[in-house]
Every structure is written in structure tokens, then in C-alpha cells.
Amino acid sequence: MSKIVLWRPMYEQSGADRLRELGAEVVVVDSSEESEIVAAASDADALWVRYPENSPGACSKRRPG
């Protein structure tokens, strides 16, 4: 199962619902604390970032595969 972290909810909830229907574990982090998003994304397969947030540099490191 893929883990997808959403930083802030999607504007259209059906997007997250569709990811779940396709078998993904979807984790929504609705916080401005960078440490929370870095922690949640540490073992994620994907990070989806909603405007106006910017992906923290710590999240862009590829985890060993």
C-alpha cells in the first residue's frame, strides 16, 4: 500500500477519496508546523503540497528504496 501525505486538505475532497479507493493510505497534515510535515512524510511514497505551502527541503530527500 502506498502512503501519500497531503499537506493541507485538497480543495476537492473527492481527490483524496479517489486515492483511498485506489488503495493508498492518505494522511492529511493540516498544520503550518514544518516538523509535523517532515515527520509525516518521512516514510511516505508521495507528498502532495497545496498552495500556498512550499515543500520543506527535508522532505525532498529520497528515502532508501
Side-chain angles (χ1 to χ4, degrees):
M1 175 185 305
S2 295
K3 177 181 176 183
I4 301 173
V5 175
L6 310 181
W7 190 357
R8 306 289 187 189
M10 291 182 164
Y11 288 120
E12 179 56 53
Q13 179 60 41
S14 64
D17 294 340
R18 181 69 179 136
L19 292 171
R20 289 183 185 99
E21 288 170 9
L22 293 170
E25 173 191 359
V26 177
V27 176
V28 179
V29 179
D30 196 5
S31 171
S32 60
E33 293 297 320
E34 187 173 309
S35 61
E36 289 182 40
I37 192 65
V38 170
S42 67
D43 64 344
D45 297 294
L47 171 62
W48 182 88
V49 182
R50 191 186 85 191
Y51 176 83
E53 306 299 348
N54 291 305
S55 177
C59 287
S60 62
K61 295 179 181 172
R62 175 96 173 122
R63 66 186 168 117

